[in-house]
Amino acid sequence: MTEIFGIPTAALFGQLLLGLINGAFYATLSLGLAVIFGLLNIINFTHGAQYMMGAFFAWMLLNYLGLGYWWALVLAPVAVGLLGIVIERLLIARLYKLDHIYGLLLTFGLALVIEGAFRNGYGVSGLPYTIPAQLAGGTNLGFMFLPIYRGWVVVASLVVCLATWFVIERTRLGAYLRAATENTTLVEAFGVNVPRLVTLTYGFGVALAGFAGVLAAPIYSVNPTMGANLIITVFAVVVVGGMGSILGSIVTGFLLGLVEGLTKVFYPEAAATVIFVIMALVLLVKPAGLFGRAA
Amino acid sequence: MAAETETIPFEETELDVRARSYAHHGIVFAALAVLLLAAPFLVYPVFAMKVLCFALFASAFNLLLGYGGLLSFGHAAFFGMASYVSAYAAKSWGLTPELSILLGTAVAVLLGTLIGAISIRRQGIYFAMVTLAFAQMVYFFALQARFTGGEDGIQAVPRGWLFGVIHLGDDRTLYYIVALVFFVGLLIIHRVIHSPFGQIMKAIRENEPRAISLGYEANRYKLIVFMLSAGLSGLAGAVKAIVFQLASLTDVHWTMSGEVVLMTLIGGMGTVFGPMVGAAVVVTMQNYLAAFGAWVTIIQGVIFVACVLLFREGIVGLLARLLRRPL
């Protein structure tokens, strides 16, 4: 068996792939947070719960309506996004004139409500969701065995992230969005319906979380607590990347996932904390984050 | 134009004068002392001790949020780590309770210095996220480290003999010790808030660039208030470990950080007496709703949302407005 630094290559690449998958979730989730933060100036603490809802909606579609994975991949993010729009209109919209920490507190409370509700209904043991037949199995790449579904997760989230980047940086709608992020009043004066833009942005941001949830459903068991712990790590990712750039959050997400995977190979005890350590180091060296602009 | 340089003359209103005077706080403290003395005859002492531990925790947290303007979402790290250290010291090293509690508090101060020094490099929402992330790191440490006992926590911690002479096995004896710790802790917080240091702290909260331009080193003040808050939170956690003879992962988990925010919010941010009222409300609620399982989380979440949307001043904040006196 081939080895690198005394580690079997199959194990090394296996962990790197796992890291890449985690990175895919970090990237998709931190991207959603960054988009929302850019325009709404709130940190969406409900993001983890919305990711969890995406997974649960996929499970519900399959078990209650008989609609499979591909339907879920479209319908679950839409449902999460629509719910998000309702939340934004009814609750978050009342806080824009207040200190930003109230937005954080409100969405934290909402996360508790949503997670508590799902825990009440479905327990904490987790529900299984099988990998769709088209993506089952795996191929031998020569240096490692690649389960197809895992490869799909990485490709799918990469495509969605890049599409998001394209929409925001290269289209007219994205230009409105960027302009509104810079100067809301001026954009409103030009006749753009900013409140609607804000609502749609929130809906889109949380739909990204829902999408990540559907991707995660076959890998991790569908569980009411699956979002809560993940979202804290994603916060650290966001701090490392800084929220100034869209591409920055994508790159940071994948990068930190890989670092975490590598840590699992070389020093497993630190795998859970390595992202937080990196966050501390980045704060010491470059407080605004790797891609952030100084406040 | 002359109008541009015209300054608004500063007139002190009656309310301003009252706002500066806090003589009536003496009355509140006296009433509080009476209540603390009577409490074990009115309610179950262990319940009263639980309320007091959380009341001190919330008051310490409020020192940072309400007066320093810094929202930490990771205060469970100090509360929980101190509770582990004091439980371990009392159980495995056989230290007396006061030494165990002091050791736990010292560790919380140390941890607060480390986390605080890095966290204050970011402001506002980022500060909340950074503290939350650090607390999660401490949580993973507690989960993996050997001395914390992992999922089991540290159980059957001996209450021991205070100063080697007073046996704390009796709930009522221990209650009065806890009440004294709480009362002194609250007096310290009150003193800090109304000291020249506290004035500068509030100035930084209101307008940091201006405070800096006046020559104050804002970051030094922030770090000190962070350390104070962490240390007092640790004191609360260390005492709780001795009272319940247990240190567990619950105390370092992020839900605990959320709970202390909720307590402060319900009672009234930036009021001296609010957090303890909020702590009493939350602990009482948890006691009565314990049988409903996950409903506790849902109800807490709903209260969170309701408080943020409709009741931002909190119970004591409302009271202070009605009485037109700061509480």
Side-chain angles (χ1 to χ4, degrees), chain A residues 43 119-120 269 283-284 287, chain B residues 121-122 125 144 295 297:
Chain A
I43 278 295
R119 224 163 56 207
N120 247 6
E269 291 82 4
L283 282 172
L284 285 174
Chain B
R121 297 173 73 89
R122 296 305 310 259
I125 298 177
Q144 291 174 339
W295 278 103
T297 320

Side-chain angles (χ1 to χ4, degrees), chain B residues 23-80:
Chain B
H24 59 284
H25 283 191
I27 303 168
V28 182
F29 270 109
L32 184 65
V34 172
L35 185 68
L36 286 176
L37 286 173
F41 301 98
L42 305 172
V43 296
Y44 189 50
V46 174
F47 172 76
M49 285 190 275
K50 187 175 182 187
V51 170
L52 290 184
C53 288
F54 280 106
L56 180 58
F57 183 24
S59 302
F61 171 78
N62 182 49
L63 179 64
L64 186 65
L65 173 62
Y67 297 95
L70 297 167
L71 170 63
S72 157
F73 235 95
H75 254 48
F78 313 120
F79 185 74

Side-chain angles (χ1 to χ4, degrees), chain A residues 79-101:
Chain A
V80 173
L82 288 177
L83 262 177
I85 285 176
V86 173
I87 289 172
E88 194 276 337
R89 278 290 86 204
L90 287 182
L91 305 171
I92 299 174
R94 295 162 192 269
L95 299 177
Y96 292 139
K97 290 195 174 68
L98 297 171
D99 193 317
H100 301 329
I101 64 168

Side-chain angles (χ1 to χ4, degrees), chain B residues 157-170:
Chain B
V157 177
R159 282 187 181 173
W161 298 73
L162 188 72
F163 304 116
V165 282
I166 307 166
H167 187 52
L168 296 181
D170 177 46

Side-chain angles (χ1 to χ4, degrees), chain B residues 7 10 20 26 35 44 53 66 79 81-82 101 180 182 192 198 234 242 246 284 294 301:
Chain B
T7 53
F10 180 68
R20 277 193 292 108
L35 185 68
Y44 189 50
C53 288
F79 185 74
M81 211 20 99
I101 290 171
L180 185 69
F182 166 75
V192 170
I242 300 294
L246 170 76
T284 310

Side-chain angles (χ1 to χ4, degrees), chain A residues 36-264:
Chain A
I36 293 172
F37 180 81
L39 194 55
L40 281 74
N41 267 320
I42 66 156
I43 278 295
N44 184 35
F45 219 123
T46 325
H47 222 67
Q50 276 146 341
Y51 158 83
M52 177 268 288
M53 278 203 286
F56 261 97
F57 285 160
W59 184 88
M60 288 171 177
L61 284 171
L62 183 67
N63 288 278
Y64 298 155
L65 300 174
L67 293 174
Y69 180 79
W70 302 105
W71 279 106
L73 212 49
V74 179
L75 293 180
V78 170
V80 173
L82 288 177
L83 262 177
I85 285 176
V86 173
I87 289 172
E88 194 276 337
R89 278 290 86 204
L90 287 182
L91 305 171
I92 299 174
R94 295 162 192 269
L95 299 177
Y96 292 139
K97 290 195 174 68
L98 297 171
D99 193 317
H100 301 329
I101 64 168
Y102 285 111
L104 180 76
L105 295 177
L106 177 85
T107 49
F108 177 75
L110 279 176
L112 289 183
V113 173
I114 295 171
E115 271 162 23
F118 275 90
R119 224 163 56 207
N120 247 6
Y122 297 92
V124 287
S125 48
L127 306 163
Y129 190 96
T130 41
I131 294 174
Q134 297 92 329
L135 299 173
T139 47
N140 199 334
L141 297 180
F143 55 92
M144 66 173 287
F145 181 77
L146 174 74
I148 292 180
Y149 187 78
R150 310 221 152 183
W152 155 253
V153 168
V154 175
V155 173
S157 35
L158 200 58
V159 167
V160 166
C161 285
L162 290 177
T164 306
W165 170 81
F166 182 82
V167 169
I168 292 176
E169 299 290 338
R170 294 284 182 272
T171 66
R172 191 172 200 60
L173 186 68
Y176 285 151
L177 184 84
R178 278 178 289 130
T181 306
E182 289 291 329
N183 191 335
T184 317
T185 326
L186 204 56
V187 173
E188 200 151 25
F190 284 139
V192 177
N193 188 340
V194 171
R196 186 181 299 161
L197 192 65
V198 165
T199 307
L200 289 178
T201 305
Y202 186 78
F204 175 73
V206 302
L208 276 179
F211 179 78
V214 181
L215 285 182
I219 301 183
Y220 311 116
S221 71
V222 179
N223 191 316
T225 57
M226 66 193 282
N229 289 320
L230 181 63
I231 198 62
I232 300 177
T233 313
V234 172
F235 280 171
V237 172
V238 165
V239 173
V240 171
M243 283 195 283
S245 104
I246 299 292
L247 219 48
S249 356
I250 302 173
V251 173
T252 317
F254 277 100
L255 214 61
L256 286 179
L258 281 177
V259 170
E260 201 182 34
L262 278 179
T263 319
K264 262 190 197 122

